Amino acid sequence: MWIYEKKLEFPIKIKNPDPRMAKLIIAQYGGPNGELSASLQYLNQRYGIPTSRAKGILTDIGTEELAHMEMIATMVYQLTEGVRPEDWVDASLGGLYVEHGGIFYVNPDGVPWTAAYLKSPGDPLATFVSNMAAEERARSTYEHLIRLTDDPDVKEPLKFLREREVVHFQRFGETLNYLEGEITKKKFY
Amino acid sequence: MDYLDKPDNLGKANYISRKELLDQIRQLQFMSIELTLFLNTHPYDSAALEDHNATVTKLRRLQNLYNKRYGMLTPMSISRGDSWEWVESPWPWERSYEED
């Protein structure tokens, strides 16, 4: 089970609204390499993976990604809080304002999130190679976002999230090595 | 530190602001997340095991202190007073949340 904690993993307080940046950051909410995708991908993979260590890393990284999704939602929320409806339209966010009154699971081009983004191949090596690639894609998205803002209130949480992708990549790599070792021990799964 | 050693003492000498306490909880929790991920792939690392248990011990004390002084961080905590405290404080996505 999960228990909600009324707190973000990293503090966010954005003083200046910037709907243009909100539109870009939503990539990490409802985009293919976003936090929703990462979380649901890892949590689902748990049911087709051998070894307790692999189940542990998928559970705990999948859970942390949910907390990251909340950070991204918070950034989009604060970047658009209190802006006029015309400002949503001027930032090409008119669709979100009209249909959702705020945040929804779409990418910056308005494409709705789909489970078809997820990779859950049911093979231990394919799973972890795929997850390492997912972390690298998320890292690169964060690096692009960091280049697109000068606001430290926005930059700092993005840098934190970028750093987490690097750590997750590392832990997935270690899990991959471990699984390869288990397989060469002639324990076939 | 004083407030760590005497978590039940609500005297002025032990004052810690909500935001400061929250940030300390967040730091310990971050250490615990990091150690959890590390231990999942290094389950026999005795230094990390020790760090993890020490971090969680400290974290629990600060979480209890927060609950006593400032309210609920999870719905599974004590609600002080006559009304349900859970819905009385700001939510994390609201700007006012990070204020003291």
mmCIF file of all heavy atoms in Angstrom, chain A residues 4-12 66-67 70-71 74, chain B residues 18-19 21-30 33 59 63 66 72-74 86 90-93 97-98:
data_model
loop_
_atom_site.group_PDB
_atom_site.id
_atom_site.type_symbol
_atom_site.label_atom_id
_atom_site.label_comp_id
_atom_site.label_asym_id
_atom_site.label_seq_id
_atom_site.Cartn_x
_atom_site.Cartn_y
_atom_site.Cartn_z
ATOM 1 N N TYR A 4 -0.043 8.590 1.827
ATOM 2 C CA TYR A 4 0.293 9.934 1.368
ATOM 3 C C TYR A 4 0.976 10.729 2.467
ATOM 4 O O TYR A 4 0.575 10.697 3.631
ATOM 5 C CB TYR A 4 -0.961 10.688 0.911
ATOM 6 C CG TYR A 4 -0.605 12.024 0.302
ATOM 7 C CD1 TYR A 4 0.029 12.084 -0.933
ATOM 8 C CD2 TYR A 4 -0.865 13.212 0.974
ATOM 9 C CE1 TYR A 4 0.382 13.304 -1.492
ATOM 10 C CE2 TYR A 4 -0.513 14.439 0.426
ATOM 11 C CZ TYR A 4 0.106 14.480 -0.810
ATOM 12 O OH TYR A 4 0.462 15.677 -1.363
ATOM 13 N N GLU A 5 2.021 11.432 2.081
ATOM 14 C CA GLU A 5 2.658 12.351 3.006
ATOM 15 C C GLU A 5 2.488 13.764 2.457
ATOM 16 O O GLU A 5 2.796 14.032 1.304
ATOM 17 C CB GLU A 5 4.133 12.003 3.176
ATOM 18 C CG GLU A 5 4.715 12.726 4.354
ATOM 19 C CD GLU A 5 5.906 12.000 4.970
ATOM 20 O OE1 GLU A 5 6.510 11.171 4.281
ATOM 21 O OE2 GLU A 5 6.208 12.283 6.132
ATOM 22 N N LYS A 6 2.015 14.647 3.322
ATOM 23 C CA LYS A 6 1.662 16.009 2.904
ATOM 24 C C LYS A 6 2.921 16.871 2.829
ATOM 25 O O LYS A 6 3.170 17.701 3.706
ATOM 26 C CB LYS A 6 0.675 16.580 3.935
ATOM 27 C CG LYS A 6 -0.224 17.682 3.425
ATOM 28 C CD LYS A 6 -1.284 17.995 4.471
ATOM 29 C CE LYS A 6 -2.259 19.036 3.975
ATOM 30 N NZ LYS A 6 -3.301 19.304 4.980
ATOM 31 N N LYS A 7 3.714 16.624 1.786
ATOM 32 C CA LYS A 7 5.035 17.232 1.728
ATOM 33 C C LYS A 7 5.647 16.844 0.389
ATOM 34 O O LYS A 7 5.421 15.742 -0.090
ATOM 35 C CB LYS A 7 5.871 16.657 2.875
ATOM 36 C CG LYS A 7 7.293 17.024 2.898
ATOM 37 C CD LYS A 7 7.909 16.608 4.204
ATOM 38 C CE LYS A 7 8.398 15.168 4.307
ATOM 39 N NZ LYS A 7 8.536 14.382 3.133
ATOM 40 N N LEU A 8 6.444 17.761 -0.209
ATOM 41 C CA LEU A 8 7.155 17.391 -1.439
ATOM 42 C C LEU A 8 8.531 16.832 -1.087
ATOM 43 O O LEU A 8 9.096 17.170 -0.046
ATOM 44 C CB LEU A 8 7.325 18.608 -2.352
ATOM 45 C CG LEU A 8 6.042 19.284 -2.844
ATOM 46 C CD1 LEU A 8 6.396 20.513 -3.678
ATOM 47 C CD2 LEU A 8 5.169 18.334 -3.642
ATOM 48 N N GLU A 9 9.078 16.016 -1.983
ATOM 49 C CA GLU A 9 10.416 15.452 -1.720
ATOM 50 C C GLU A 9 11.463 16.568 -1.681
ATOM 51 O O GLU A 9 12.453 16.474 -0.959
ATOM 52 C CB GLU A 9 10.783 14.419 -2.793
ATOM 53 C CG GLU A 9 12.061 13.654 -2.471
ATOM 54 C CD GLU A 9 12.500 12.701 -3.568
ATOM 55 O OE1 GLU A 9 11.804 12.594 -4.597
ATOM 56 O OE2 GLU A 9 13.552 12.064 -3.403
ATOM 57 N N PHE A 10 11.239 17.620 -2.468
ATOM 58 C CA PHE A 10 12.149 18.759 -2.530
ATOM 59 C C PHE A 10 11.257 20.010 -2.555
ATOM 60 O O PHE A 10 10.269 20.030 -3.281
ATOM 61 C CB PHE A 10 12.984 18.652 -3.819
ATOM 62 C CG PHE A 10 14.026 19.711 -3.996
ATOM 63 C CD1 PHE A 10 15.330 19.511 -3.556
ATOM 64 C CD2 PHE A 10 13.721 20.913 -4.626
ATOM 65 C CE1 PHE A 10 16.303 20.490 -3.738
ATOM 66 C CE2 PHE A 10 14.694 21.893 -4.813
ATOM 67 C CZ PHE A 10 15.990 21.676 -4.365
ATOM 68 N N PRO A 11 11.598 21.044 -1.756
ATOM 69 C CA PRO A 11 10.663 22.174 -1.644
ATOM 70 C C PRO A 11 10.516 22.960 -2.957
ATOM 71 O O PRO A 11 11.494 23.153 -3.675
ATOM 72 C CB PRO A 11 11.302 23.057 -0.560
ATOM 73 C CG PRO A 11 12.730 22.655 -0.505
ATOM 74 C CD PRO A 11 12.790 21.212 -0.921
ATOM 75 N N ILE A 12 9.302 23.393 -3.235
ATOM 76 C CA ILE A 12 9.042 24.208 -4.428
ATOM 77 C C ILE A 12 8.207 25.407 -4.019
ATOM 78 O O ILE A 12 7.149 25.254 -3.396
ATOM 79 C CB ILE A 12 8.294 23.393 -5.515
ATOM 80 C CG1 ILE A 12 9.179 22.242 -6.012
ATOM 81 C CG2 ILE A 12 7.899 24.300 -6.684
ATOM 82 C CD1 ILE A 12 8.487 21.305 -6.967
ATOM 83 N N LEU A 66 6.599 8.637 -8.313
ATOM 84 C CA LEU A 66 5.290 9.234 -7.990
ATOM 85 C C LEU A 66 5.477 10.572 -7.269
ATOM 86 O O LEU A 66 4.753 11.535 -7.519
ATOM 87 C CB LEU A 66 4.479 8.300 -7.090
ATOM 88 C CG LEU A 66 3.656 7.197 -7.740
ATOM 89 C CD1 LEU A 66 2.922 6.417 -6.650
ATOM 90 C CD2 LEU A 66 2.638 7.760 -8.725
ATOM 91 N N ALA A 67 6.460 10.604 -6.365
ATOM 92 C CA ALA A 67 6.754 11.852 -5.659
ATOM 93 C C ALA A 67 7.272 12.908 -6.643
ATOM 94 O O ALA A 67 7.003 14.099 -6.498
ATOM 95 C CB ALA A 67 7.772 11.604 -4.549
ATOM 96 N N GLU A 70 4.463 14.505 -8.497
ATOM 97 C CA GLU A 70 3.820 15.557 -7.706
ATOM 98 C C GLU A 70 4.639 16.859 -7.735
ATOM 99 O O GLU A 70 4.075 17.950 -7.740
ATOM 100 C CB GLU A 70 3.621 15.086 -6.257
ATOM 101 C CG GLU A 70 2.717 16.023 -5.483
ATOM 102 C CD GLU A 70 2.522 15.627 -4.030
ATOM 103 O OE1 GLU A 70 3.455 15.073 -3.430
ATOM 104 O OE2 GLU A 70 1.434 15.898 -3.491
ATOM 105 N N MET A 71 5.959 16.726 -7.776
ATOM 106 C CA MET A 71 6.795 17.931 -7.890
ATOM 107 C C MET A 71 6.552 18.629 -9.224
ATOM 108 O O MET A 71 6.467 19.866 -9.283
ATOM 109 C CB MET A 71 8.285 17.570 -7.771
ATOM 110 C CG MET A 71 8.741 17.253 -6.352
ATOM 111 S SD MET A 71 10.507 16.807 -6.318
ATOM 112 C CE MET A 71 11.268 18.322 -6.948
ATOM 113 N N THR A 74 3.289 20.353 -9.199
ATOM 114 C CA THR A 74 3.387 21.564 -8.379
ATOM 115 C C THR A 74 4.026 22.709 -9.165
ATOM 116 O O THR A 74 3.584 23.858 -9.083
ATOM 117 C CB THR A 74 4.214 21.260 -7.106
ATOM 118 O OG1 THR A 74 3.518 20.255 -6.364
ATOM 119 C CG2 THR A 74 4.415 22.493 -6.249
ATOM 120 N N ARG B 18 8.388 25.674 11.926
ATOM 121 C CA ARG B 18 7.758 24.617 11.130
ATOM 122 C C ARG B 18 8.577 24.333 9.876
ATOM 123 O O ARG B 18 8.879 23.185 9.557
ATOM 124 C CB ARG B 18 6.339 25.046 10.740
ATOM 125 C CG ARG B 18 5.651 24.052 9.813
ATOM 126 C CD ARG B 18 4.294 24.563 9.350
ATOM 127 N NE ARG B 18 3.852 23.814 8.191
ATOM 128 C CZ ARG B 18 4.207 24.096 6.938
ATOM 129 N NH1 ARG B 18 5.005 25.111 6.678
ATOM 130 N NH2 ARG B 18 3.774 23.354 5.940
ATOM 131 N N LYS B 19 8.967 25.403 9.194
ATOM 132 C CA LYS B 19 9.695 25.248 7.938
ATOM 133 C C LYS B 19 11.066 24.591 8.164
ATOM 134 O O LYS B 19 11.501 23.737 7.399
ATOM 135 C CB LYS B 19 9.827 26.632 7.293
ATOM 136 C CG LYS B 19 10.765 26.732 6.118
ATOM 137 C CD LYS B 19 10.237 26.083 4.853
ATOM 138 C CE LYS B 19 11.179 26.394 3.686
ATOM 139 N NZ LYS B 19 11.120 25.356 2.655
ATOM 140 N N LEU B 21 11.918 22.612 10.686
ATOM 141 C CA LEU B 21 11.708 21.218 11.063
ATOM 142 C C LEU B 21 11.348 20.379 9.837
ATOM 143 O O LEU B 21 11.864 19.272 9.625
ATOM 144 C CB LEU B 21 10.594 21.147 12.123
ATOM 145 C CG LEU B 21 10.265 19.788 12.728
ATOM 146 C CD1 LEU B 21 11.507 19.077 13.254
ATOM 147 C CD2 LEU B 21 9.240 19.946 13.862
ATOM 148 N N LEU B 22 10.494 20.955 9.005
ATOM 149 C CA LEU B 22 10.089 20.295 7.764
ATOM 150 C C LEU B 22 11.307 20.009 6.882
ATOM 151 O O LEU B 22 11.465 18.917 6.335
ATOM 152 C CB LEU B 22 9.126 21.239 7.040
ATOM 153 C CG LEU B 22 8.309 20.723 5.885
ATOM 154 C CD1 LEU B 22 7.374 19.612 6.346
ATOM 155 C CD2 LEU B 22 7.479 21.868 5.297
ATOM 156 N N ASP B 23 12.188 21.005 6.765
ATOM 157 C CA ASP B 23 13.370 20.819 5.918
ATOM 158 C C ASP B 23 14.302 19.754 6.491
ATOM 159 O O ASP B 23 14.922 19.001 5.752
ATOM 160 C CB ASP B 23 14.116 22.152 5.732
ATOM 161 C CG ASP B 23 13.398 23.065 4.740
ATOM 162 O OD1 ASP B 23 12.580 22.549 3.939
ATOM 163 O OD2 ASP B 23 13.634 24.288 4.765
ATOM 164 N N GLN B 24 14.384 19.692 7.824
ATOM 165 C CA GLN B 24 15.228 18.654 8.434
ATOM 166 C C GLN B 24 14.640 17.270 8.217
ATOM 167 O O GLN B 24 15.374 16.308 7.965
ATOM 168 C CB GLN B 24 15.390 18.931 9.922
ATOM 169 C CG GLN B 24 16.190 20.195 10.154
ATOM 170 C CD GLN B 24 16.846 20.230 11.514
ATOM 171 O OE1 GLN B 24 16.857 19.236 12.236
ATOM 172 N NE2 GLN B 24 17.391 21.374 11.872
ATOM 173 N N ILE B 25 13.318 17.183 8.317
ATOM 174 C CA ILE B 25 12.651 15.900 8.045
ATOM 175 C C ILE B 25 12.916 15.511 6.592
ATOM 176 O O ILE B 25 13.240 14.365 6.281
ATOM 177 C CB ILE B 25 11.139 15.999 8.333
ATOM 178 C CG1 ILE B 25 10.903 16.101 9.836
ATOM 179 C CG2 ILE B 25 10.375 14.822 7.724
ATOM 180 C CD1 ILE B 25 9.480 16.396 10.239
ATOM 181 N N ARG B 26 12.809 16.491 5.709
ATOM 182 C CA ARG B 26 13.013 16.240 4.285
ATOM 183 C C ARG B 26 14.439 15.750 4.013
ATOM 184 O O ARG B 26 14.645 14.843 3.214
ATOM 185 C CB ARG B 26 12.731 17.538 3.526
ATOM 186 C CG ARG B 26 12.261 17.309 2.162
ATOM 187 C CD ARG B 26 11.394 18.370 1.509
ATOM 188 N NE ARG B 26 11.301 19.648 2.129
ATOM 189 C CZ ARG B 26 10.247 20.455 1.947
ATOM 190 N NH1 ARG B 26 9.248 20.097 1.179
ATOM 191 N NH2 ARG B 26 10.206 21.628 2.511
ATOM 192 N N GLN B 27 15.393 16.338 4.705
ATOM 193 C CA GLN B 27 16.789 15.911 4.497
ATOM 194 C C GLN B 27 16.994 14.472 4.952
ATOM 195 O O GLN B 27 17.636 13.685 4.264
ATOM 196 C CB GLN B 27 17.738 16.847 5.246
ATOM 197 C CG GLN B 27 17.956 18.169 4.528
ATOM 198 C CD GLN B 27 18.602 19.219 5.429
ATOM 199 O OE1 GLN B 27 19.271 18.879 6.406
ATOM 200 N NE2 GLN B 27 18.377 20.483 5.121
ATOM 201 N N LEU B 28 16.455 14.156 6.135
ATOM 202 C CA LEU B 28 16.612 12.789 6.642
ATOM 203 C C LEU B 28 15.886 11.795 5.750
ATOM 204 O O LEU B 28 16.363 10.682 5.513
ATOM 205 C CB LEU B 28 16.087 12.693 8.077
ATOM 206 C CG LEU B 28 16.955 13.363 9.136
ATOM 207 C CD1 LEU B 28 16.209 13.414 10.465
ATOM 208 C CD2 LEU B 28 18.276 12.617 9.312
ATOM 209 N N GLN B 29 14.727 12.216 5.264
ATOM 210 C CA GLN B 29 13.965 11.336 4.401
ATOM 211 C C GLN B 29 14.709 11.103 3.087
ATOM 212 O O GLN B 29 14.704 10.001 2.542
ATOM 213 C CB GLN B 29 12.618 11.980 4.096
ATOM 214 C CG GLN B 29 11.486 11.038 4.320
ATOM 215 C CD GLN B 29 10.199 11.764 4.523
ATOM 216 O OE1 GLN B 29 10.104 12.977 4.323
ATOM 217 N NE2 GLN B 29 9.185 11.040 4.912
ATOM 218 N N PHE B 30 15.352 12.150 2.617
ATOM 219 C CA PHE B 30 16.127 11.996 1.384
ATOM 220 C C PHE B 30 17.276 11.013 1.599
ATOM 221 O O PHE B 30 17.536 10.141 0.768
ATOM 222 C CB PHE B 30 16.662 13.355 0.910
ATOM 223 C CG PHE B 30 17.444 13.240 -0.359
ATOM 224 C CD1 PHE B 30 16.801 12.962 -1.554
ATOM 225 C CD2 PHE B 30 18.823 13.365 -0.360
ATOM 226 C CE1 PHE B 30 17.514 12.811 -2.733
ATOM 227 C CE2 PHE B 30 19.548 13.218 -1.532
ATOM 228 C CZ PHE B 30 18.900 12.943 -2.714
ATOM 229 N N ILE B 33 15.813 7.589 1.536
ATOM 230 C CA ILE B 33 15.489 7.138 0.164
ATOM 231 C C ILE B 33 16.770 6.682 -0.537
ATOM 232 O O ILE B 33 16.823 5.607 -1.139
ATOM 233 C CB ILE B 33 14.810 8.275 -0.634
ATOM 234 C CG1 ILE B 33 13.404 8.550 -0.099
ATOM 235 C CG2 ILE B 33 14.741 7.935 -2.130
ATOM 236 C CD1 ILE B 33 12.752 9.804 -0.663
ATOM 237 N N LEU B 59 14.853 10.259 12.075
ATOM 238 C CA LEU B 59 13.697 10.706 11.305
ATOM 239 C C LEU B 59 12.399 10.514 12.092
ATOM 240 O O LEU B 59 11.560 11.415 12.155
ATOM 241 C CB LEU B 59 13.642 9.931 9.979
ATOM 242 C CG LEU B 59 12.430 10.170 9.072
ATOM 243 C CD1 LEU B 59 12.373 11.626 8.621
ATOM 244 C CD2 LEU B 59 12.486 9.252 7.853
ATOM 245 N N GLN B 63 9.711 13.337 13.073
ATOM 246 C CA GLN B 63 8.317 13.240 12.608
ATOM 247 C C GLN B 63 7.348 13.329 13.781
ATOM 248 O O GLN B 63 6.313 13.993 13.694
ATOM 249 C CB GLN B 63 8.105 11.929 11.843
ATOM 250 C CG GLN B 63 8.677 11.989 10.433
ATOM 251 C CD GLN B 63 8.752 10.622 9.759
ATOM 252 O OE1 GLN B 63 8.952 9.607 10.429
ATOM 253 N NE2 GLN B 63 8.613 10.596 8.446
ATOM 254 N N TYR B 66 7.249 16.919 14.888
ATOM 255 C CA TYR B 66 6.425 17.721 13.965
ATOM 256 C C TYR B 66 4.942 17.517 14.280
ATOM 257 O O TYR B 66 4.169 18.458 14.359
ATOM 258 C CB TYR B 66 6.717 17.341 12.510
ATOM 259 C CG TYR B 66 6.045 18.271 11.515
ATOM 260 C CD1 TYR B 66 6.749 19.324 10.937
ATOM 261 C CD2 TYR B 66 4.699 18.120 11.186
ATOM 262 C CE1 TYR B 66 6.130 20.187 10.049
ATOM 263 C CE2 TYR B 66 4.069 18.988 10.304
ATOM 264 C CZ TYR B 66 4.787 20.012 9.736
ATOM 265 O OH TYR B 66 4.169 20.877 8.863
ATOM 266 N N MET B 72 -0.226 17.307 11.258
ATOM 267 C CA MET B 72 -0.187 16.004 10.613
ATOM 268 C C MET B 72 0.578 16.035 9.291
ATOM 269 O O MET B 72 0.310 16.855 8.440
ATOM 270 C CB MET B 72 -1.621 15.524 10.340
ATOM 271 C CG MET B 72 -2.473 15.450 11.593
ATOM 272 S SD MET B 72 -4.224 15.193 11.211
ATOM 273 C CE MET B 72 -4.254 13.425 10.944
ATOM 274 N N LEU B 73 1.522 15.118 9.139
ATOM 275 C CA LEU B 73 2.178 14.953 7.838
ATOM 276 C C LEU B 73 1.544 13.806 7.053
ATOM 277 O O LEU B 73 1.622 13.776 5.828
ATOM 278 C CB LEU B 73 3.677 14.701 8.023
ATOM 279 C CG LEU B 73 4.533 15.945 8.269
ATOM 280 C CD1 LEU B 73 5.974 15.562 8.549
ATOM 281 C CD2 LEU B 73 4.469 16.920 7.106
ATOM 282 N N THR B 74 0.966 12.857 7.750
ATOM 283 C CA THR B 74 0.209 11.797 7.081
ATOM 284 C C THR B 74 -1.126 11.674 7.816
ATOM 285 O O THR B 74 -1.231 12.064 8.987
ATOM 286 C CB THR B 74 0.922 10.419 7.149
ATOM 287 O OG1 THR B 74 0.686 9.854 8.443
ATOM 288 C CG2 THR B 74 2.404 10.536 6.905
ATOM 289 N N TRP B 86 -6.105 17.347 9.523
ATOM 290 C CA TRP B 86 -5.590 16.988 8.197
ATOM 291 C C TRP B 86 -5.999 17.992 7.121
ATOM 292 O O TRP B 86 -5.236 18.301 6.219
ATOM 293 C CB TRP B 86 -6.077 15.578 7.843
ATOM 294 C CG TRP B 86 -5.620 15.016 6.551
ATOM 295 C CD1 TRP B 86 -6.414 14.644 5.504
ATOM 296 C CD2 TRP B 86 -4.273 14.721 6.144
ATOM 297 N NE1 TRP B 86 -5.653 14.147 4.484
ATOM 298 C CE2 TRP B 86 -4.336 14.182 4.846
ATOM 299 C CE3 TRP B 86 -3.019 14.877 6.751
ATOM 300 C CZ2 TRP B 86 -3.200 13.778 4.131
ATOM 301 C CZ3 TRP B 86 -1.884 14.486 6.037
ATOM 302 C CH2 TRP B 86 -1.986 13.952 4.758
ATOM 303 N N PRO B 90 -2.102 23.904 4.680
ATOM 304 C CA PRO B 90 -1.964 23.991 3.221
ATOM 305 C C PRO B 90 -1.485 22.676 2.601
ATOM 306 O O PRO B 90 -0.835 21.863 3.265
ATOM 307 C CB PRO B 90 -0.908 25.074 3.014
ATOM 308 C CG PRO B 90 -0.640 25.688 4.321
ATOM 309 C CD PRO B 90 -1.202 24.829 5.381
ATOM 310 N N TRP B 91 -1.789 22.484 1.339
ATOM 311 C CA TRP B 91 -1.334 21.321 0.589
ATOM 312 C C TRP B 91 -0.001 21.642 -0.076
ATOM 313 O O TRP B 91 0.291 22.808 -0.340
ATOM 314 C CB TRP B 91 -2.413 20.905 -0.425
ATOM 315 C CG TRP B 91 -3.600 20.379 0.318
ATOM 316 C CD1 TRP B 91 -4.651 21.117 0.805
ATOM 317 C CD2 TRP B 91 -3.808 19.029 0.751
ATOM 318 N NE1 TRP B 91 -5.507 20.294 1.513
ATOM 319 C CE2 TRP B 91 -5.021 19.019 1.490
ATOM 320 C CE3 TRP B 91 -3.100 17.838 0.603
ATOM 321 C CZ2 TRP B 91 -5.530 17.852 2.078
ATOM 322 C CZ3 TRP B 91 -3.623 16.678 1.170
ATOM 323 C CH2 TRP B 91 -4.821 16.694 1.899
ATOM 324 N N PRO B 92 0.814 20.626 -0.340
ATOM 325 C CA PRO B 92 2.196 20.882 -0.753
ATOM 326 C C PRO B 92 2.347 21.658 -2.069
ATOM 327 O O PRO B 92 3.376 22.278 -2.286
ATOM 328 C CB PRO B 92 2.796 19.478 -0.913
ATOM 329 C CG PRO B 92 1.914 18.576 -0.126
ATOM 330 C CD PRO B 92 0.555 19.192 -0.142
ATOM 331 N N TRP B 93 1.341 21.608 -2.925
ATOM 332 C CA TRP B 93 1.487 22.317 -4.203
ATOM 333 C C TRP B 93 1.125 23.799 -4.077
ATOM 334 O O TRP B 93 1.332 24.569 -4.993
ATOM 335 C CB TRP B 93 0.656 21.655 -5.306
ATOM 336 C CG TRP B 93 -0.789 21.467 -4.995
ATOM 337 C CD1 TRP B 93 -1.801 22.340 -5.292
ATOM 338 C CD2 TRP B 93 -1.396 20.338 -4.351
ATOM 339 N NE1 TRP B 93 -3.006 21.832 -4.854
ATOM 340 C CE2 TRP B 93 -2.786 20.592 -4.281
ATOM 341 C CE3 TRP B 93 -0.912 19.140 -3.830
ATOM 342 C CZ2 TRP B 93 -3.680 19.695 -3.704
ATOM 343 C CZ3 TRP B 93 -1.810 18.244 -3.257
ATOM 344 C CH2 TRP B 93 -3.170 18.524 -3.199
ATOM 345 N N TYR B 97 2.471 26.673 1.368
ATOM 346 C CA TYR B 97 2.967 25.515 2.102
ATOM 347 C C TYR B 97 4.385 25.709 2.623
ATOM 348 O O TYR B 97 4.713 25.299 3.729
ATOM 349 C CB TYR B 97 2.912 24.252 1.216
ATOM 350 C CG TYR B 97 3.379 23.020 1.964
ATOM 351 C CD1 TYR B 97 2.485 22.239 2.681
ATOM 352 C CD2 TYR B 97 4.730 22.660 1.987
ATOM 353 C CE1 TYR B 97 2.901 21.133 3.398
ATOM 354 C CE2 TYR B 97 5.163 21.561 2.699
ATOM 355 C CZ TYR B 97 4.247 20.791 3.400
ATOM 356 O OH TYR B 97 4.672 19.705 4.111
ATOM 357 N N GLU B 98 5.259 26.288 1.803
ATOM 358 C CA GLU B 98 6.675 26.418 2.180
ATOM 359 C C GLU B 98 6.949 27.623 3.069
ATOM 360 O O GLU B 98 8.091 27.949 3.332
ATOM 361 C CB GLU B 98 7.573 26.455 0.944
ATOM 362 C CG GLU B 98 7.561 25.185 0.103
ATOM 363 C CD GLU B 98 8.122 23.936 0.827
ATOM 364 O OE1 GLU B 98 8.870 24.083 1.805
ATOM 365 O OE2 GLU B 98 7.771 22.812 0.383
#
